[in-house]
């Protein structure tokens, strides 16, 4: 394993839980709802209880945000503004990564991003994590979102602004696309 | 035979009885103890069977004692002496301990055995003094002013025979072993009455009489006496240190204290002997006080096993006070009476300095003996009265019973005597009581200024209290003891019972071996002799099985045999 | 100021009470006795029995075991006595605030007279703290 | 008249001198340990402070015994001190006051023991029992050592012992020296100082017998110990140096003797760890008794 | 016969920390012992789960003030063990220096306290006087007397200034002769021999059975030292000796500790002299899921940390095993048949401290002071005033 | 013995008990074993191979509880971690403490902090928690919640 190089897998668990979920169920997030005025703060109950007050959803939202909404600036203000060098723009992966062990939750990045991509809530001091509820039964989070942003889907989901992130997550989000800019 | 004698004696009292100031004093003490024994028994012996017999025995004992004290002939004394041994046996049998019969038998054998020696001694004296004057001469042999010099072998044997009878009665080494057992197994008033008081009075009285009136001591004999005395002091007190039973421990002290008296008589000088006699009286006082107090403890708790006692001061503060005073007395703490007489003894020992440097040894033994006595009494005080209450004593404390009059009266009187005799020691007219006996002016090199010392101590107390008053005594607050933040209530096991206080000492190199031997009773004449005699089989088992009648048979047979042999 | 109080301030005997500390504060207290700091200069002595104590030096974050015992122990000190909370732990439970085993802060258990913050406070700070306490008690009378 | 001596010397002077001695001890200790040590008046202040504090009585303990124990102790010391002072200045002791002194010297230990037992605290009991064991341990050599001057002076009268040293102190003879050594070690134990602080062993049994005492009770005990700290060396000086000689150059000698004894005690206490109780008993009954016996034999031989 | 129980503790001058031992005794002889822990339990393990990896270092440091290096050291090694990573040589050297400095101060502290327990206060004072010097060195190097806060996962937090090195070296050199004197004073004292030799003997087999650690086991002839067995830090860079003795009694434990100080000084000096250049901190960006263990030789034996991570920035499980946890039970084996007086010194010989044994304190993160000293004093004043009024004003 | 020999010996002897084997690095080795065989394997490692017992760490990984027994072989610097999984509802395992003293305390600790029952433990009392700590509340369980409503989470002062 390459040292200190964070990969997607590393961040979100090398425990491959997909096999254990029957039927290839995937979690579906409507990020537009999450980011709309409807929802001020994520209130889902996450069943991942290794950590107190863990809200795995936030880590998923963060992930999706960086992957889909972030403009992938050439000269990223956020990265430059981070006092702890916790943000990194991964060149070939075309995504932003926040190294949780370094971030001190100062939220400079939130202020620095000219597009308001980085919501203050998604850079918590104590990192959250979602393991897709591995084999603990159904997703606990889905019924607890009052705004209906979450659901579980099977198979391939088609539609505008719907993206698959990895093999467990599907996101609906108004994607910013460099090619369309 | 003895019957005739008594009749004779009654017919003609003057021929057989005479009184001296000393014997009067002894008699007075005996009377006091008799009264106390009766009073105390009223409550303590309640509910036992055959009580009327018990009181009759007490009375008979008392009368016999008086008889011994005032008798002037050997044979009368011998008869009463034997009678007393019998009474002791009978009285011990009132105890209801497991070991009672065995202890009663043991004391009977030892005392009876030495009675035989006494008889032998008397016969020897009779032969030395008056040749063959027939049985009636024997019967009327008086023991005043004989002044037999301890030169020949016969004389020495005679002295030793008489002395051993005195030793056995008083409980000095090596005839002491019946005492601790008896103390444990006999009813308490009996112990307080007989072994602790009357037997002491008689034994030492008799020893003093024979030493002064009958024989003329040689320095060698004196040294032997002093050595025996010192040995008794040390050995008994060392044994006492490690006892686990309240009464047995007291019993060993009864032995150890005799050592002082023997030591005092052994000094051979008036001060020493007067000291010994004075100590004898003092001893009876605090000793019976201790036994009576101990008996009260046993009555209330139902046990005398030290490890089961503790913290009783809450239940019986007055008994504790009496016990404390008596303990301080027996340990010779000034200004109590024990110190007054011990102080005289020390003087006597130092005056005996003529006999080479050995006096240092006796002095050290006596003084160290006091320290050890103090030690073992501190152990008792802690284990019985202070310290953490045990389960049993917890119950006793909760019962809130009060010690009755019958207990407190003797204790109070005895405690007052302890203090009084100590503080006013120099006021006591020794000369009147002791001089006639000790044959010579009690020539004190100095008088125990108990007044001065007492005054100093009292002023010290006053100053101490003043300091308290300067402080904030009034604001005293009762809180939990500090055991590192835990509470004793939650940890009832945190109880130092004190039984094992001196285990450390017991485990010291040489002592360890000695103690182990002592535990195996290697030093117990009774057991050793028993084992020895067991070789001869029948006689011993016959004797040992001894019911009273067999003992009698044996005693009389011996007497007869002796008479025949000798006459 | 009464003579009593004066004497108390000139010879405060301290008893050290650790209620779940990390040792550091305790060690530094002992350090105060040693040659460099030598609090005996001020008449202070470290005593072994709480019944001899005038000043309680409390360290640590009062865990559940200690809480009850603290109350008992505080009862056992002869009054007048002063309580000094040494270290952040005793002052506020510091880092251990949310521990399941440290339910209540010290001053909710027994009254505290002075707080000496630090983790651990330097011996100098402790001495200064106690001296301040003495001044305060002395001055306020 | 006696009362005047008693109050002036027995108590006041002894107390003051004792407190000063204890200050010397603490100060020397501190210096040995590279510390500054307490200020001069510290022992006095300690006592005053303790007097001002609350008296605590352990629950379930024997209240009377608990409170009276310190008083008994201090009265014993006062009595001894008075006796010594009286002998020192007025040659007015009585015959056999040597014995009385030795006996009275047992009273402080006795009071500590009683107090400890009355505290209803297991640790106090333990401490008191150790004190008791220590007493029986050191009593033997102490008596023997104290006998040496008696043998030399052929008297058990302290004033005679003092007088007979006018020509030359007993400490000058071989037996005297040996006895003095033994006696100093016994005094060490009597004062319960390291290496014989077994009964109080703060780090084992938390102050032992005194654990439950607070306020005035503790003050009296401390005062008692401090007074003993003066009285015992004083006794030794009487026995082996012919008492305090307060005339001319002898004053200097007397002071030197006194400070010397105190210094030896302090140095011993600072250069040794505490021994175990069985070791202590063995030490006193073994080598110490032997030396003392040798001293006694020598004394009997007139050496 | 009813058993007699003597309490040692919980608040006992023998121990800076509360711990409750009950000795069952006969006379003065100990026949059994029981221990009641929990007076120091702060739930550190749980706290640790609420803090980030980096913050946990501080909580770990507060497991114990004496091992305020060992625990962070073991902990950082555990974190570094979760995924393969190497820290720079310079930081290894610095870590070693701090760890050995701590060993000296800890052993001196032990020596002093042992002397104190024996009533030998002079040794106590002397040892602690010497300890002050070593604390000075530590203050020069790290900025604090204890609780150095030098460690962080991936390296060290602070560098050692070049100009401090000669000063420290000189100080260490100046300590050694005094240390030597102290060694002689302690090891040649006949009374100490009488007190310590043959007391509290632990046999080889017992040491193995109890899995005893550090000086406690090395005194019984068990040659265990993590620094040798499983080298870490800079220990394999130089020559040094592991001290092992055979008798297993208290005296041997003292000997080992005293001699170890000289070794530690040697190591320290070597490291200071040969401090390599380089980075002091390999930044850890993320901690992947997994688990790691770290064990190092603390003054009292092996300190063992186990950290399980799930990919967030805080541990799922953090288990601390301090040397005393394994050593303390040996007390049970060594104490029977000894006297109460020996019990305390035997206990001391293990060099026990319980804050680590009861670690499990919890990390909550913000070690911030809410008030400054002035505030506190002001507050306390008003509080005292209130109390005084409540108590009736006097 | 070299590392290979130890491994070979160990695995061949306990073939049936070993579920999985993970060679993490050259100093670390994880061995998943069946819970019922822990006593045999543990004592074998301790007594026959001469491994030193480091410690056991238990973790609540709902729905299971994992215990890792760490043994170190000092000669070859190999740390072997035996891993067992217990049922989270009713965690029970044979006690090793009855065989080896060193396990005594840690098992007591695990049982009070995580509620694991060690069958046959010689001295199953509490080790760390206070007397008034309620039964059945295990602070290191993931679902631990504050039970004591008198506790105060303010800063104090
Ligand atoms: S998941 Fe639901 S609750 Fe959470 S941020 Fe989105 S909309 Fe809000
Ligand atoms: S500045 Fe905003 S848009 Fe640009 S890279 Fe950073 S987060 Fe994305
Ligand atoms: S919140 Fe974190 S990532 Fe953002 S700037 Fe601060 S440290 Fe960097
Ligand atoms: S939030 Fe705090 S840490 Fe972050 S940049 Fe602002 S002041 Fe600094
Ligand atoms: S899938 Fe499970 S772990 Fe992930 S956010 Fe939802 S509830 Fe939490
Ligand atoms: S304040 Fe700091 S040094 Fe003191 S006990 Fe608490 S954590 Fe330890
Ligand atoms: S062993 Fe534990 S308590 Fe002792 S110093 Fe080390 S970490 Fe602290
Ligand atoms: S809390 Fe703040 S002031 Fe205190 S040591 Fe830490 S950084 Fe410094």
């Amino acid at each position: 394993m390459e040292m200190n190089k964070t990969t997607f897998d590393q961040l979100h668990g090398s425990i491959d839980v997909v096999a254990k979920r029957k039927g290839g169920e995937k979690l579906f997030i409507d990020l537009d709802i999450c980011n709309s005025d409807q929802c001020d703060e994520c209130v889902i109950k996450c069943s991942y209880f290794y950590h107190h007050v863990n809200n795995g959803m936030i880590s998923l939202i963060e992930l999706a945000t960086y992957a889909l909404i972030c403009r992938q600036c050439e000269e990223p203000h956020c990265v430059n503004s981070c006092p702890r060098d916790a943000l990194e723009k991964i060149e070939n992966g075309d995504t932003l990564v926040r190294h949780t062990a370094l971030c001190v939750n100062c939220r400079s990045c939130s202020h620095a991003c000219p597009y308001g991509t980085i919501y203050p809530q998604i850079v918590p001091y104590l990192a959250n994590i979602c393991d897709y509820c591995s084999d603990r039964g159904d997703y606990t989070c889905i019924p607890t979102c009052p705004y209906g942003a979450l659901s579980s889907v099977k198979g391939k989901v088609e539609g505008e602004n719907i993206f698959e992130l990895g093999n467990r997550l599907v996101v609906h989000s108004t994607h910013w696309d460099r090619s369309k800019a | 035979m003895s019957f005739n004698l008594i009749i004779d004696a009654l017919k003609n009292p003057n021929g057989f009885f005479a009184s001296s100031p000393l014997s009067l004093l002894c008699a007075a003490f005996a009377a006091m103890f008799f009264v106390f024994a009766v009073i105390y028994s009223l409550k303590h012996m309640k509910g036992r069977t055959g009580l009327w017999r018990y009181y009759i025995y007490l009375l008979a004992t008392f009368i016999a004692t008086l008889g011994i004290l005032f008798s002037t002939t050997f044979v009368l004394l011998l008869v009463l002496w034997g009678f007393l041994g019998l009474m002791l046996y009978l009285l011990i049998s009132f105890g209801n301990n497991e070991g009672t019969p065995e202890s009663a038998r043991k004391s009977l054998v030892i005392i009876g055995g030495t009675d035989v020696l006494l008889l032998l001694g008397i016969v020897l004296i009779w032969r030395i003094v008056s040749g063959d004057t027939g049985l009636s001469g024997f019967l009327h042999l008086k023991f005043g002013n004989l002044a037999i010099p301890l030169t020949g072998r016969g004389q020495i044997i005679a002295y030793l025979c008489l002395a051993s009878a005195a030793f056995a009665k008083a409980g000095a080494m090596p005839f002491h072993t019946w005492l601790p057992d008896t103390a444990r197994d006999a009813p308490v008033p009996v112990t307080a009455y007989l072994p602790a008081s009357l037997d002491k009075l008689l034994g030492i009285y008799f020893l003093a009489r024979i030493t002064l009136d009958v024989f003329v001591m040689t320095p060698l004999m004196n040294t032997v006496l002093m050595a025996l005395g010192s040995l008794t002091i040390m050995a008994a007190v060392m044994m006492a240190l490690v006892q686990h039973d309240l009464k047995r421990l007291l019993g060993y002290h009864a032995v150890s204290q005799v050592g002082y008296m023997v030591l005092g008589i052994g000094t051979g000088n008036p001060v020493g002997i007067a000291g010994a006699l004075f100590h004898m009286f003092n001893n009876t006082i605090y000793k019976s006080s201790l036994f009576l107090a101990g008996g009260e403890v046993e009555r209330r708790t139902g046990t005398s096993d030290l490890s089961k006692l503790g913290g009783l001061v809450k239940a019986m503060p007055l008994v504790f006070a009496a016990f404390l005073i008596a303990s301080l007395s027996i340990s010779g703490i000034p200004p109590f009476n024990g110190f007054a007489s011990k102080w005289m003894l020390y003087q006597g020992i130092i005056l005996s300095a003529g006999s080479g440097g050995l006096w240092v040894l006796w002095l050290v033994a006596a003084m160290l003996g006091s320290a050890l006595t103090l030690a073992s009494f501190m152990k008792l005080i802690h284990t019985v009265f202070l310290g953490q209450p045990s389960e049993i004593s917890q119950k006793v404390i909760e019962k809130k019973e009060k010690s009755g009059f019958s207990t407190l009266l003797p204790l109070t009187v005895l405690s007052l005597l302890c203090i009084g005799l100590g503080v006013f020691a120099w006021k006591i007219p020794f000369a009147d009581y002791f001089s006639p006996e000790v044959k010579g002016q009690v020539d004190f090199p100095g008088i125990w200024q108990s007044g001065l010392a007492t005054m100093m101590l009292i002023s010290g107390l006053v100053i101490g209290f003043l300091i308290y008053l300067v402080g904030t005594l009034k604001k005293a607050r009762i809180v939990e003891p500090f055991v590192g933040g835990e509470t004793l209530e939650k940890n009832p096991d945190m109880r130092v019972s004190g039984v094992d206080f001196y285990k450390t000492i017991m485990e010291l190199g040489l002592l360890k071996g000695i103690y182990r031997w002592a535990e195996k009773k290697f030093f117990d004449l009774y057991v050793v002799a028993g084992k020895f005699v067991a070789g001869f089989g029948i006689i011993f088992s016959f004797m040992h099985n001894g019911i009273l009648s067999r003992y009698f048979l044996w005693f009389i047979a011996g007497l007869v045999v002796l008479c025949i042999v000798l006459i | 100021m009464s003579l009593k109080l004066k004497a108390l301030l000139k010879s405060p005997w301290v008893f050290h009470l650790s209620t779940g500390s990390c040792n550091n504060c305790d060690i530094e207290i002992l350090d105060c006795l040693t040659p460099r700091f030598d609090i005996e200069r001020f008449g202070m002595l470290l005593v072994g029995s709480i019944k001899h104590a005038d000043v309680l030096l409390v360290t640590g974050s009062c865990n559940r075991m200690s809480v009850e015992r603290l109350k008992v122990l505080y009862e056992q000190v002869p009054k007048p006595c002063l309580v000094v909370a040494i270290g952040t732990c005793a002052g506020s439970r510091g880092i251990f605030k949310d521990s399941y085993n440290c339910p209540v802060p010290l001053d909710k258990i027994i009254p505290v007279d002075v707080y000496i913050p630090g983790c651990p406070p330097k011996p100098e700070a402790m001495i200064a703290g106690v001296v301040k306490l003495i001044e305060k008690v002395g001055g306020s009378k | 008249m006696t009362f005047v001596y008693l109050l002036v010397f027995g108590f006041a002077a002894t107390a003051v001198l004792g407190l000063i001695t204890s200050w010397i001890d603490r100060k020397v200790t501190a210096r040995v340990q590279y510390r500054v040590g307490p200020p001069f008046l510290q022992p006095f202040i300690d006592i005053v402070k303790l007097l001002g504090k609350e008296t605590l009585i352990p629950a379930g303990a024997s209240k009377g015994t608990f409170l009276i124990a310190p008083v008994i102790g201090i009265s014993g010391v006062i009595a001894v001190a008075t006796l010594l002072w009286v002998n020192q200045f007025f040659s007015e002791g009585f015959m056999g006051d040597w014995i009385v002194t030795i006996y009275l010297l047992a009273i402080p230990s006795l009071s500590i023991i009683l107090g400890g037992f009355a505290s209803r605290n297991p640790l106090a009991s333990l401490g008191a029992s150790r004190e008791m064991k220590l007493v029986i341990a050191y009593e033997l050599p102490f008596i023997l050592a104290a006998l040496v001057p008696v043998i030399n002076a052929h008297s058990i009268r302290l004033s005679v012992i003092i007088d007979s040293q006018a020509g030359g102190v007993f400490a000058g003879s071989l037996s005297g020296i040996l006895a003095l050594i033994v006696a100093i070690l016994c005094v060490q134990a009597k004062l319960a100082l390291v290496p014989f602080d077994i009964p109080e062993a703060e780090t084992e049994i938390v102050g032992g017998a005194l654990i439950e005492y607070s306020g005035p009770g503790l003050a009296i005990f401390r005062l008692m110990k401090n007074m003993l700290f003066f009285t015992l060396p004083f006794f030794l000086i009487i026995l082996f140096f012919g008492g305090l000689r307060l005339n001319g150059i002898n004053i200097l000698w007397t002071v030197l003797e006194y400070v010397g004894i105190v210094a030896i005690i302090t140095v011993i206490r600072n250069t040794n760890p505490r021994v175990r109780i069985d070791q202590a008993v063995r030490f006193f009954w073994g080598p110490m008794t032997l030396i003392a016996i040798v001293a006694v034999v020598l004394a009997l031989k007139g050496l | 016969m009813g058993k007699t129980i003597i309490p040692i503790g919980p608040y006992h001058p023998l121990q800076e920390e509360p711990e409750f031992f009950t000795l069952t005794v006969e006379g003065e002889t100990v026949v059994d012992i029981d221990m009641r822990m929990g007076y120091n339990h702060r739930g550190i393990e749980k706290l640790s789960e609420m803090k980030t990896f980096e913050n946990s270092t501080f909580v770990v440091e507060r497991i114990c003030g004496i091992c305020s290096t060992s625990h962070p050291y073991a902990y950082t090694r555990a974190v570094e063990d979760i995924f393969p990573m190497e820290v720079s040589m310079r930081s290894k050297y610095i870590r070693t220096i701090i760890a050995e400095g701590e060993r000296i101060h800890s052993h001196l502290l032990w020596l002093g306290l042992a002397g104190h327990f024996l009533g030998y206060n002079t040794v106590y004072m002397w040892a602690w006087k010497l300890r002050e010097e070593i604390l000075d060195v530590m203050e020069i190097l790290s900025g604090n007397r204890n609780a150095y806060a030098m460690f962080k996962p991936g390296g060290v937090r602070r560098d050692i200034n070049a100009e401090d090195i000669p000063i420290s070296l000189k100080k260490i050199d100046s300590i050694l002769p005094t240390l030597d004197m102290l060694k002689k004073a302690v090891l040649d004292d006949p009374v100490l021999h009488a007190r310590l030799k043959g007391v509290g003997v632990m046999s080889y087999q017992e040491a193995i059975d109890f899995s005893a650690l550090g000086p406690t086991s090395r005194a019984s002839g068990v040659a265990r030292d993590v620094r040798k067995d499983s080298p870490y830090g800079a220990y394999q860079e130089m020559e040094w000796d592991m001290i092992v003795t055979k008798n297993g009694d208290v005296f041997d434990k003292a000997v080992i500790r005293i001699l170890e100080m000289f070794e530690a000084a040697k190591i320290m000096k070597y490291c200071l002299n040969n401090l390599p250049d380089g980075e002091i901190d390999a930044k850890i960006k993320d901690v992947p899921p997994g688990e790691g263990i770290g064990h190092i030789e603390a003054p009292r034996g092996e300190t063992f940390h186990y950290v399980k991570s799930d990919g967030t920035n805080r541990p799922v499980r953090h288990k601390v095993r301090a040397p005393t946890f394994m050593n303390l039970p040996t007390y049970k084996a060594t104490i029977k048949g000894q006297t109460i007086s020996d019990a305390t010194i035997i206990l001391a010989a293990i060099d026990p401290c319980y804050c680590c044994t009861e670690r499990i304190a919890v990390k909550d993160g913000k070690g911030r002071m809410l008030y400054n000293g002035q505030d506190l004093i002001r507050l306390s004043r008003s509080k005292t005033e209130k109390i005084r009024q409540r108590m009736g004003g006097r | 013995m070299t590392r290979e020999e130890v491994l070979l010996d160990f695995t061949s002897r306990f073939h049936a008990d070993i579920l999985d084997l993970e060679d993490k690095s050259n100093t670390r080795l994880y061995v998943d074993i069946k819970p019922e065989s822990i006593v045999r394997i543990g004592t074998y490692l301790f007594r026959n191979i001469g491994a030193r017992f480091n410690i056991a760490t238990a973790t609540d990984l709902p729905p299971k509880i994992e215990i890792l027994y760490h043994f170190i072989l000092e000669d070859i610097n190999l740390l072997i971690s035996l891993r067992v999984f217990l049922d989270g509802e009713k965690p029970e395992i044979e006690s090793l403490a009855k065989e080896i003293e060193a396990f005594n305390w840690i098992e007591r600790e695990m049982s009070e902090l995580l509620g694991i029952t060690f069958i046959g433990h010689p001295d199953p009392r509490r080790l760390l928690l206070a007397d008034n700590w309620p039964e059945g509340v295990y602070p290191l369980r993931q679902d631990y919640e504050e039970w004591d409503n008198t506790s105060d989470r303010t800063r104090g002062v």
Side-chain angles (χ1 to χ4, degrees), chain E residues 131-147:
Chain E
R131 181 173 167 267
E132 289 295 326
E133 304 288 316
I134 207 74
L135 290 184
D136 282 348
V137 175
M138 301 307 273
E139 196 165 358
I140 292 169
L141 294 178
S142 77
N144 204 355
R145 291 160 51 85
N146 19 41

Side-chain angles (χ1 to χ4, degrees), chain C residues 21-22 24-25 60 87-89 96 118-120, chain E residues 62:
Chain C
S21 63
C22 84
N24 233 340
C25 284
T88 312
C89 283
F96 302 108
C119 183
Chain E
R62 270 142 195 80

Side-chain angles (χ1 to χ4, degrees), chain A residues 82-84 86-87 98 103-109:
Chain A
C82 179
R84 295 274 295 154
L87 286 173
R98 184 172 64 98
C103 173
V104 292
N105 186 26
C106 73
R107 286 151 190 187
S108 307
C109 47

